[in-house]
Amino acid sequence: MAVLITGIGELTTNTGDTGRIHDAAIVLDGERVVWTGPATKAPDADERVDVEGRAVLPGWVDSHTHLVFAGDRTAEFEARMAGAPYRAGGIATTVEATRAATDDQLVANLRRHVDEAYAQGSTCLETKTGYGLTVPDEDRSARIAAEVVDEVTFLGAHLVPPGADAESYVDLVRGEMLDAVADRVRWVDVFCETGAFDEVQTARILAAATARGLGTRVHGNQLGEGPGVRLAVEHGSASVDHCTYLSDSDVEALAASDTVATVLPACDLSTRQPLAPARRLLDAGATVALASNANPGSSYTTSMAFCVATAVLQMGLSVDEAVRAATLGGARALRRDDVGVLREGARADLHVLDAPSVTHLAYRPGVPLTWAVWRRGERLS
């Protein structure tokens, strides 16, 4: 059934150089967009929805989350706010709780957070394994994630489990563990950082993923300058995420490559790190994505609107740049062309704001502005 959405005061399509279209309309048919353009030229449809001058944009594409988990890390957060430094080892707390949880508990927690994200306009979600760190637990996480979200990433290389030998664990990740999850995931990620996996270990895992025909991603340059960006570019990874500390050569490498620089401002704030240099990256010509990094330890938020407002108010991006990074940028970080954009043939993922312009996302920070959401052509709210 075709649905005509009319009365759009401002439409963001992310197509070409058109920017925002005023007095627009859009037609959905099933799971796809079939027409966009001026309201005066809109075709007939089976159903009409008047959004009464509100702004419409593509649904958020959140390309970096960790939502298959159990447990709580409030105490760690409070300690960090009191001055304790962020360290990668805090992941072990969530690993213990996740291993102890039942399948039903993990599924319920995942669905709760996904529904929370949908209600705020996120319509395409990636999530990672990485809180199991044994073959059966990582396989379980991949299976649960694949039942719920759009994109699943294997992150067995999140941390070397306490008491394990690092080199033996790397062999397990790139061998038996990868074999167990390969049919359930599209991506393989590595936390390339002090306290996690070094350059040689990261390169071995990325090479194993590529040999299996899987795409790669890298957690890199979060706690300091390091090899993460260079390795991601050298291995043709779809994205390198965090990008908090970048050298000039890192920026140049990203600008000259297809690897997307995914910045995670909610995480930077929660860990009291500097905000990633998104302005510098854009000015150099790199593709930038904004994502939530929703996880229980270092960024417990599913609000992409918060990330957009932060990018505008504190990172030097324009509203259009921030919205594009949180939609089309996320799609490019997932190497998808069917989301993050509103054009004929794209997935019918729409976010309607209770505001006349996307500018209100930064102009009214913290105010819940989602009025309606369509995902795959189905109205969720």
Side-chain angles (χ1 to χ4, degrees), residues 31-93:
E31 294 191 358
R32 298 291 162 184
V33 175
V34 296
W35 184 88
T36 64
T40 55
K41 297 182 179 179
D44 291 333
D46 302 304
E47 180 184 348
R48 177 186 291 257
V49 178
D50 186 352
V51 299
E52 300 177 331
R54 292 178 171 88
V56 175
L57 63 154
W60 304 127
V61 180
D62 194 349
S63 62
H64 185 128
T65 77
H66 304 252
L67 294 177
V68 183
F69 72 88
D72 179 270
R73 284 160 68 182
T74 303
E76 177 189 326
F77 176 80
E78 289 181 337
R80 201 160 58 241
M81 295 306 100
Y86 172 73
R87 293 187 177 91
I91 294 163
T93 303

Short mmCIF file of all heavy atoms in Angstrom, two decimals, residues 31-93:
data_model
loop_
_atom_site.label_atom_id
_atom_site.label_comp_id
_atom_site.label_asym_id
_atom_site.label_seq_id
_atom_site.Cartn_x
_atom_site.Cartn_y
_atom_site.Cartn_z
N GLU A 31 8.29 -1.49 1.63
CA GLU A 31 9.50 -1.17 2.39
C GLU A 31 10.36 -0.10 1.72
O GLU A 31 11.44 0.19 2.21
CB GLU A 31 10.34 -2.43 2.61
CG GLU A 31 9.69 -3.47 3.48
CD GLU A 31 10.65 -4.58 3.88
OE1 GLU A 31 11.81 -4.54 3.43
OE2 GLU A 31 10.24 -5.46 4.65
N ARG A 32 9.89 0.49 0.61
CA ARG A 32 10.76 1.37 -0.17
C ARG A 32 10.16 2.76 -0.35
O ARG A 32 8.94 2.95 -0.36
CB ARG A 32 11.03 0.75 -1.55
CG ARG A 32 11.74 -0.57 -1.50
CD ARG A 32 13.18 -0.43 -1.02
NE ARG A 32 13.74 -1.70 -0.57
CZ ARG A 32 14.94 -1.83 -0.04
NH1 ARG A 32 15.72 -0.78 0.09
NH2 ARG A 32 15.37 -3.00 0.37
N VAL A 33 11.05 3.71 -0.54
CA VAL A 33 10.67 5.04 -1.00
C VAL A 33 10.49 4.96 -2.51
O VAL A 33 11.34 4.41 -3.21
CB VAL A 33 11.77 6.08 -0.66
CG1 VAL A 33 11.43 7.44 -1.26
CG2 VAL A 33 11.98 6.17 0.85
N VAL A 34 9.39 5.50 -3.01
CA VAL A 34 9.15 5.45 -4.45
C VAL A 34 9.09 6.83 -5.09
O VAL A 34 9.13 6.93 -6.32
CB VAL A 34 7.87 4.65 -4.79
CG1 VAL A 34 8.02 3.20 -4.37
CG2 VAL A 34 6.63 5.27 -4.15
N TRP A 35 9.02 7.88 -4.26
CA TRP A 35 9.00 9.23 -4.86
C TRP A 35 9.31 10.25 -3.77
O TRP A 35 8.88 10.11 -2.62
CB TRP A 35 7.62 9.53 -5.46
CG TRP A 35 7.54 10.85 -6.18
CD1 TRP A 35 7.82 11.10 -7.49
CD2 TRP A 35 7.17 12.12 -5.62
NE1 TRP A 35 7.65 12.43 -7.78
CE2 TRP A 35 7.25 13.07 -6.64
CE3 TRP A 35 6.77 12.53 -4.34
CZ2 TRP A 35 6.95 14.43 -6.44
CZ3 TRP A 35 6.49 13.87 -4.12
CH2 TRP A 35 6.57 14.81 -5.17
N THR A 36 10.08 11.29 -4.13
CA THR A 36 10.25 12.47 -3.28
C THR A 36 10.22 13.70 -4.18
O THR A 36 10.59 13.62 -5.36
CB THR A 36 11.59 12.47 -2.51
OG1 THR A 36 12.68 12.53 -3.45
CG2 THR A 36 11.73 11.24 -1.64
N GLY A 37 9.79 14.82 -3.64
CA GLY A 37 9.79 16.03 -4.43
C GLY A 37 8.89 17.10 -3.86
O GLY A 37 8.41 17.00 -2.72
N PRO A 38 8.62 18.14 -4.64
CA PRO A 38 7.74 19.23 -4.18
C PRO A 38 6.33 18.72 -3.92
O PRO A 38 5.81 17.88 -4.67
CB PRO A 38 7.77 20.22 -5.35
CG PRO A 38 8.96 19.85 -6.16
CD PRO A 38 9.16 18.39 -5.99
N ALA A 39 5.71 19.23 -2.89
CA ALA A 39 4.36 18.79 -2.54
C ALA A 39 3.37 19.02 -3.68
O ALA A 39 2.43 18.24 -3.87
CB ALA A 39 3.90 19.50 -1.28
N THR A 40 3.58 20.07 -4.46
CA THR A 40 2.64 20.40 -5.54
C THR A 40 2.65 19.37 -6.66
O THR A 40 1.73 19.30 -7.47
CB THR A 40 2.96 21.78 -6.14
OG1 THR A 40 4.34 21.79 -6.55
CG2 THR A 40 2.73 22.87 -5.10
N LYS A 41 3.72 18.55 -6.71
CA LYS A 41 3.83 17.54 -7.77
C LYS A 41 3.65 16.11 -7.25
O LYS A 41 3.91 15.15 -7.97
CB LYS A 41 5.20 17.66 -8.45
CG LYS A 41 5.41 19.01 -9.15
CD LYS A 41 6.76 19.06 -9.85
CE LYS A 41 6.96 20.40 -10.57
NZ LYS A 41 8.29 20.46 -11.24
N ALA A 42 3.20 15.97 -6.01
CA ALA A 42 3.09 14.64 -5.41
C ALA A 42 2.05 13.79 -6.12
O ALA A 42 0.95 14.27 -6.42
CB ALA A 42 2.74 14.77 -3.94
N PRO A 43 2.33 12.53 -6.38
CA PRO A 43 1.36 11.64 -7.00
C PRO A 43 0.32 11.18 -5.97
O PRO A 43 0.49 11.35 -4.77
CB PRO A 43 2.21 10.46 -7.47
CG PRO A 43 3.36 10.45 -6.51
CD PRO A 43 3.64 11.88 -6.16
N ASP A 44 -0.74 10.57 -6.46
CA ASP A 44 -1.75 10.00 -5.57
C ASP A 44 -1.20 8.76 -4.88
O ASP A 44 -0.25 8.12 -5.35
CB ASP A 44 -3.00 9.63 -6.36
CG ASP A 44 -3.74 10.86 -6.88
OD1 ASP A 44 -3.63 11.92 -6.24
OD2 ASP A 44 -4.42 10.74 -7.92
N ALA A 45 -1.80 8.40 -3.76
CA ALA A 45 -1.41 7.21 -3.02
C ALA A 45 -2.64 6.65 -2.31
O ALA A 45 -3.69 7.30 -2.25
CB ALA A 45 -0.31 7.54 -2.02
N ASP A 46 -2.49 5.45 -1.76
CA ASP A 46 -3.62 4.81 -1.08
C ASP A 46 -3.96 5.50 0.24
O ASP A 46 -5.11 5.50 0.67
CB ASP A 46 -3.28 3.34 -0.79
CG ASP A 46 -2.97 2.58 -2.07
OD1 ASP A 46 -3.81 2.58 -2.97
OD2 ASP A 46 -1.87 1.99 -2.15
N GLU A 47 -2.93 6.05 0.88
CA GLU A 47 -3.12 6.69 2.19
C GLU A 47 -2.33 7.98 2.22
O GLU A 47 -1.27 8.08 1.60
CB GLU A 47 -2.64 5.74 3.30
CG GLU A 47 -2.78 6.30 4.70
CD GLU A 47 -2.21 5.38 5.76
OE1 GLU A 47 -1.92 4.21 5.42
OE2 GLU A 47 -2.04 5.82 6.91
N ARG A 48 -2.84 8.95 2.95
CA ARG A 48 -2.16 10.25 3.07
C ARG A 48 -1.94 10.55 4.54
O ARG A 48 -2.85 10.40 5.36
CB ARG A 48 -3.00 11.35 2.43
CG ARG A 48 -2.42 12.76 2.55
CD ARG A 48 -3.40 13.78 2.01
NE ARG A 48 -3.55 13.68 0.57
CZ ARG A 48 -2.99 14.50 -0.30
NH1 ARG A 48 -2.24 15.51 0.13
NH2 ARG A 48 -3.17 14.35 -1.59
N VAL A 49 -0.71 10.97 4.87
CA VAL A 49 -0.39 11.40 6.23
C VAL A 49 0.15 12.82 6.14
O VAL A 49 1.16 13.07 5.47
CB VAL A 49 0.66 10.48 6.88
CG1 VAL A 49 1.02 11.00 8.27
CG2 VAL A 49 0.15 9.05 6.96
N ASP A 50 -0.50 13.74 6.82
CA ASP A 50 -0.09 15.15 6.83
C ASP A 50 0.72 15.40 8.09
O ASP A 50 0.21 15.27 9.21
CB ASP A 50 -1.33 16.04 6.81
CG ASP A 50 -0.99 17.53 6.68
OD1 ASP A 50 0.20 17.88 6.75
OD2 ASP A 50 -1.93 18.33 6.51
N VAL A 51 2.00 15.76 7.94
CA VAL A 51 2.84 16.00 9.12
C VAL A 51 2.86 17.48 9.51
O VAL A 51 3.61 17.88 10.40
CB VAL A 51 4.28 15.46 8.90
CG1 VAL A 51 4.25 13.96 8.68
CG2 VAL A 51 4.99 16.17 7.77
N GLU A 52 2.04 18.28 8.86
CA GLU A 52 1.71 19.64 9.31
C GLU A 52 2.93 20.53 9.53
O GLU A 52 3.10 21.17 10.56
CB GLU A 52 0.89 19.56 10.60
CG GLU A 52 -0.42 18.78 10.41
CD GLU A 52 -1.21 18.63 11.70
OE1 GLU A 52 -0.57 18.60 12.78
OE2 GLU A 52 -2.44 18.53 11.63
N GLY A 53 3.80 20.56 8.52
CA GLY A 53 4.92 21.49 8.55
C GLY A 53 6.15 21.01 9.29
O GLY A 53 7.12 21.76 9.45
N ARG A 54 6.15 19.77 9.72
CA ARG A 54 7.31 19.25 10.47
C ARG A 54 8.46 18.87 9.53
O ARG A 54 8.26 18.69 8.34
CB ARG A 54 6.88 18.04 11.30
CG ARG A 54 5.92 18.40 12.43
CD ARG A 54 5.47 17.17 13.20
NE ARG A 54 4.72 17.53 14.39
CZ ARG A 54 3.41 17.74 14.42
NH1 ARG A 54 2.69 17.60 13.31
NH2 ARG A 54 2.81 18.07 15.55
N ALA A 55 9.64 18.75 10.12
CA ALA A 55 10.83 18.35 9.36
C ALA A 55 10.91 16.83 9.27
O ALA A 55 10.60 16.12 10.23
CB ALA A 55 12.09 18.90 10.02
N VAL A 56 11.35 16.34 8.13
CA VAL A 56 11.53 14.91 7.90
C VAL A 56 12.96 14.68 7.42
O VAL A 56 13.47 15.42 6.58
CB VAL A 56 10.52 14.38 6.86
CG1 VAL A 56 10.79 12.91 6.54
CG2 VAL A 56 9.08 14.56 7.36
N LEU A 57 13.57 13.64 7.94
CA LEU A 57 14.93 13.29 7.56
C LEU A 57 15.05 11.77 7.54
O LEU A 57 14.15 11.06 8.04
CB LEU A 57 15.95 13.89 8.53
CG LEU A 57 15.91 13.43 10.00
CD1 LEU A 57 17.30 13.58 10.63
CD2 LEU A 57 14.91 14.26 10.80
N PRO A 58 16.11 11.21 6.99
CA PRO A 58 16.29 9.75 7.08
C PRO A 58 16.42 9.31 8.53
O PRO A 58 16.89 10.07 9.38
CB PRO A 58 17.61 9.51 6.32
CG PRO A 58 17.80 10.73 5.47
CD PRO A 58 17.21 11.87 6.25
N GLY A 59 16.01 8.09 8.82
CA GLY A 59 16.25 7.56 10.15
C GLY A 59 17.74 7.52 10.45
O GLY A 59 18.58 7.38 9.56
N TRP A 60 18.06 7.68 11.74
CA TRP A 60 19.47 7.60 12.13
C TRP A 60 20.03 6.22 11.78
O TRP A 60 19.36 5.20 11.96
CB TRP A 60 19.63 7.81 13.63
CG TRP A 60 19.10 9.08 14.22
CD1 TRP A 60 18.24 9.19 15.28
CD2 TRP A 60 19.39 10.43 13.83
NE1 TRP A 60 17.98 10.49 15.57
CE2 TRP A 60 18.67 11.29 14.70
CE3 TRP A 60 20.18 10.99 12.84
CZ2 TRP A 60 18.72 12.67 14.59
CZ3 TRP A 60 20.22 12.37 12.73
CH2 TRP A 60 19.51 13.19 13.59
N VAL A 61 21.28 6.19 11.34
CA VAL A 61 22.00 4.94 11.10
C VAL A 61 23.09 4.86 12.16
O VAL A 61 24.13 5.53 12.05
CB VAL A 61 22.60 4.88 9.68
CG1 VAL A 61 23.34 3.56 9.48
CG2 VAL A 61 21.50 5.05 8.64
N ASP A 62 22.83 4.09 13.20
CA ASP A 62 23.78 3.99 14.32
C ASP A 62 24.72 2.82 14.03
O ASP A 62 24.38 1.66 14.24
CB ASP A 62 23.03 3.79 15.63
CG ASP A 62 23.92 4.01 16.84
OD1 ASP A 62 25.15 4.11 16.67
OD2 ASP A 62 23.38 4.08 17.98
N SER A 63 25.90 3.14 13.57
CA SER A 63 26.82 2.14 13.04
C SER A 63 27.79 1.57 14.06
O SER A 63 28.71 0.83 13.70
CB SER A 63 27.61 2.74 11.86
OG SER A 63 28.40 3.84 12.30
N HIS A 64 27.59 1.90 15.35
CA HIS A 64 28.51 1.39 16.38
C HIS A 64 27.78 1.29 17.71
O HIS A 64 27.58 2.29 18.40
CB HIS A 64 29.73 2.30 16.51
CG HIS A 64 30.78 1.81 17.45
ND1 HIS A 64 32.11 1.70 17.11
CD2 HIS A 64 30.73 1.40 18.75
CE1 HIS A 64 32.81 1.25 18.13
NE2 HIS A 64 31.98 1.07 19.15
N THR A 65 27.37 0.07 18.07
CA THR A 65 26.79 -0.18 19.40
C THR A 65 27.28 -1.51 19.94
O THR A 65 27.78 -2.36 19.20
CB THR A 65 25.24 -0.19 19.38
OG1 THR A 65 24.77 -1.44 18.85
CG2 THR A 65 24.66 0.96 18.57
N HIS A 66 27.10 -1.69 21.24
CA HIS A 66 27.43 -2.94 21.94
C HIS A 66 26.22 -3.28 22.81
O HIS A 66 26.19 -2.96 23.99
CB HIS A 66 28.64 -2.77 22.85
CG HIS A 66 29.89 -2.26 22.19
ND1 HIS A 66 30.99 -3.07 21.97
CD2 HIS A 66 30.23 -1.03 21.73
CE1 HIS A 66 31.97 -2.36 21.40
NE2 HIS A 66 31.52 -1.11 21.25
N LEU A 67 25.21 -3.91 22.26
CA LEU A 67 23.94 -4.04 22.95
C LEU A 67 23.61 -5.45 23.42
O LEU A 67 22.55 -5.65 24.03
CB LEU A 67 22.81 -3.51 22.06
CG LEU A 67 22.85 -2.01 21.77
CD1 LEU A 67 21.73 -1.61 20.83
CD2 LEU A 67 22.77 -1.20 23.06
N VAL A 68 24.47 -6.41 23.17
CA VAL A 68 24.24 -7.76 23.71
C VAL A 68 25.06 -7.87 24.99
O VAL A 68 26.24 -8.21 24.98
CB VAL A 68 24.63 -8.85 22.71
CG1 VAL A 68 24.29 -10.23 23.28
CG2 VAL A 68 23.91 -8.66 21.37
N PHE A 69 24.41 -7.54 26.10
CA PHE A 69 25.13 -7.54 27.38
C PHE A 69 24.15 -7.71 28.53
O PHE A 69 22.94 -7.57 28.37
CB PHE A 69 25.93 -6.24 27.56
CG PHE A 69 25.08 -5.02 27.83
CD1 PHE A 69 24.71 -4.67 29.12
CD2 PHE A 69 24.64 -4.21 26.79
CE1 PHE A 69 23.93 -3.56 29.38
CE2 PHE A 69 23.85 -3.09 27.03
CZ PHE A 69 23.50 -2.76 28.33
N ALA A 70 24.69 -7.99 29.69
CA ALA A 70 23.94 -7.99 30.94
C ALA A 70 24.77 -7.23 31.97
O ALA A 70 25.96 -6.99 31.79
CB ALA A 70 23.67 -9.42 31.41
N GLY A 71 24.13 -6.87 33.06
CA GLY A 71 24.86 -6.24 34.15
C GLY A 71 24.82 -4.72 34.09
O GLY A 71 24.19 -4.11 33.22
N ASP A 72 25.54 -4.12 35.03
CA ASP A 72 25.49 -2.68 35.25
C ASP A 72 26.88 -2.21 35.67
O ASP A 72 27.59 -2.92 36.40
CB ASP A 72 24.48 -2.39 36.37
CG ASP A 72 24.39 -0.91 36.69
OD1 ASP A 72 25.14 -0.44 37.57
OD2 ASP A 72 23.56 -0.23 36.07
N ARG A 73 27.26 -1.03 35.18
CA ARG A 73 28.58 -0.48 35.54
C ARG A 73 28.45 0.94 36.08
O ARG A 73 29.30 1.80 35.86
CB ARG A 73 29.52 -0.56 34.34
CG ARG A 73 30.01 -2.00 34.11
CD ARG A 73 30.54 -2.25 32.73
NE ARG A 73 31.77 -1.54 32.43
CZ ARG A 73 32.39 -1.59 31.25
NH1 ARG A 73 31.88 -2.35 30.29
NH2 ARG A 73 33.50 -0.92 31.03
N THR A 74 27.38 1.16 36.85
CA THR A 74 27.17 2.47 37.46
C THR A 74 28.33 2.87 38.36
O THR A 74 28.78 4.03 38.36
CB THR A 74 25.87 2.48 38.27
OG1 THR A 74 24.78 2.11 37.42
CG2 THR A 74 25.59 3.85 38.86
N ALA A 75 28.84 1.91 39.14
CA ALA A 75 29.92 2.22 40.07
C ALA A 75 31.16 2.69 39.33
O ALA A 75 31.85 3.62 39.76
CB ALA A 75 30.24 1.00 40.93
N GLU A 76 31.45 2.05 38.18
CA GLU A 76 32.60 2.46 37.38
C GLU A 76 32.41 3.89 36.86
O GLU A 76 33.35 4.70 36.87
CB GLU A 76 32.77 1.50 36.20
CG GLU A 76 33.88 1.86 35.24
CD GLU A 76 33.88 1.00 33.99
OE1 GLU A 76 33.52 -0.20 34.08
OE2 GLU A 76 34.23 1.53 32.92
N PHE A 77 31.18 4.18 36.42
CA PHE A 77 30.90 5.54 35.93
C PHE A 77 31.10 6.57 37.04
O PHE A 77 31.72 7.62 36.84
CB PHE A 77 29.47 5.60 35.39
CG PHE A 77 29.05 6.97 34.94
CD1 PHE A 77 29.44 7.47 33.70
CD2 PHE A 77 28.28 7.79 35.77
CE1 PHE A 77 29.07 8.74 33.28
CE2 PHE A 77 27.90 9.06 35.35
CZ PHE A 77 28.30 9.53 34.12
N GLU A 78 30.57 6.27 38.23
CA GLU A 78 30.71 7.21 39.35
C GLU A 78 32.18 7.43 39.70
O GLU A 78 32.59 8.56 39.98
CB GLU A 78 29.94 6.68 40.56
CG GLU A 78 28.42 6.76 40.40
CD GLU A 78 27.68 6.26 41.62
OE1 GLU A 78 28.27 5.47 42.39
OE2 GLU A 78 26.51 6.66 41.79
N ALA A 79 32.95 6.36 39.65
CA ALA A 79 34.38 6.49 39.94
C ALA A 79 35.08 7.36 38.90
O ALA A 79 35.94 8.18 39.22
CB ALA A 79 35.03 5.11 40.01
N ARG A 80 34.68 7.18 37.65
CA ARG A 80 35.28 7.98 36.58
C ARG A 80 34.93 9.45 36.75
O ARG A 80 35.75 10.34 36.55
CB ARG A 80 34.81 7.44 35.23
CG ARG A 80 35.71 7.81 34.09
CD ARG A 80 35.53 6.90 32.90
NE ARG A 80 34.17 6.87 32.38
CZ ARG A 80 33.40 5.79 32.33
NH1 ARG A 80 33.85 4.63 32.78
NH2 ARG A 80 32.19 5.85 31.83
N MET A 81 33.68 9.73 37.12
CA MET A 81 33.28 11.12 37.33
C MET A 81 34.02 11.73 38.52
O MET A 81 34.18 12.96 38.61
CB MET A 81 31.78 11.20 37.54
CG MET A 81 30.94 10.81 36.33
SD MET A 81 31.35 11.72 34.79
CE MET A 81 32.40 10.54 33.91
N ALA A 82 34.49 10.87 39.43
CA ALA A 82 35.25 11.35 40.58
C ALA A 82 36.73 11.46 40.28
O ALA A 82 37.52 11.86 41.17
CB ALA A 82 35.03 10.42 41.77
N GLY A 83 37.13 11.10 39.04
CA GLY A 83 38.51 11.30 38.64
C GLY A 83 39.29 10.07 38.26
O GLY A 83 40.43 10.18 37.80
N ALA A 84 38.71 8.88 38.41
CA ALA A 84 39.42 7.66 38.00
C ALA A 84 39.53 7.63 36.49
O ALA A 84 38.58 7.96 35.78
CB ALA A 84 38.68 6.42 38.51
N PRO A 85 40.68 7.22 35.93
CA PRO A 85 40.83 7.18 34.46
C PRO A 85 40.06 6.03 33.84
O PRO A 85 39.82 5.00 34.49
CB PRO A 85 42.33 6.99 34.27
CG PRO A 85 42.78 6.27 35.51
CD PRO A 85 41.91 6.80 36.63
N TYR A 86 39.67 6.21 32.57
CA TYR A 86 39.04 5.11 31.83
C TYR A 86 40.10 4.14 31.38
O TYR A 86 41.15 4.54 30.87
CB TYR A 86 38.29 5.64 30.60
CG TYR A 86 37.78 4.52 29.72
CD1 TYR A 86 36.70 3.74 30.09
CD2 TYR A 86 38.42 4.22 28.51
CE1 TYR A 86 36.26 2.69 29.30
CE2 TYR A 86 37.99 3.18 27.71
CZ TYR A 86 36.90 2.42 28.11
OH TYR A 86 36.47 1.39 27.33
N ARG A 87 39.83 2.84 31.56
CA ARG A 87 40.74 1.80 31.09
C ARG A 87 39.93 0.72 30.38
O ARG A 87 38.79 0.45 30.76
CB ARG A 87 41.53 1.18 32.24
CG ARG A 87 42.52 2.14 32.90
CD ARG A 87 43.38 1.41 33.93
NE ARG A 87 44.38 2.31 34.50
CZ ARG A 87 44.20 3.03 35.60
NH1 ARG A 87 43.04 2.97 36.23
NH2 ARG A 87 45.16 3.82 36.05
N ALA A 88 40.55 0.08 29.40
CA ALA A 88 39.85 -0.95 28.63
C ALA A 88 39.42 -2.12 29.50
O ALA A 88 38.45 -2.81 29.20
CB ALA A 88 40.75 -1.44 27.49
N GLY A 89 40.11 -2.37 30.60
CA GLY A 89 39.85 -3.53 31.42
C GLY A 89 38.48 -3.59 32.06
O GLY A 89 38.05 -4.64 32.53
N GLY A 90 37.76 -2.48 32.10
CA GLY A 90 36.42 -2.48 32.68
C GLY A 90 35.46 -3.38 31.95
O GLY A 90 34.41 -3.78 32.50
N ILE A 91 35.79 -3.72 30.72
CA ILE A 91 34.96 -4.62 29.91
C ILE A 91 34.76 -5.96 30.63
O ILE A 91 33.71 -6.60 30.52
CB ILE A 91 35.61 -4.83 28.53
CG1 ILE A 91 35.62 -3.51 27.75
CG2 ILE A 91 34.91 -5.93 27.74
CD1 ILE A 91 36.58 -3.50 26.58
N ALA A 92 35.76 -6.39 31.39
CA ALA A 92 35.70 -7.70 32.05
C ALA A 92 34.50 -7.80 32.98
O ALA A 92 33.94 -8.89 33.17
CB ALA A 92 36.99 -7.96 32.81
N THR A 93 34.08 -6.71 33.58
CA THR A 93 32.91 -6.72 34.46
C THR A 93 31.66 -7.12 33.70
O THR A 93 30.85 -7.93 34.17
CB THR A 93 32.71 -5.33 35.10
OG1 THR A 93 33.89 -4.96 35.80
CG2 THR A 93 31.52 -5.32 36.03
#
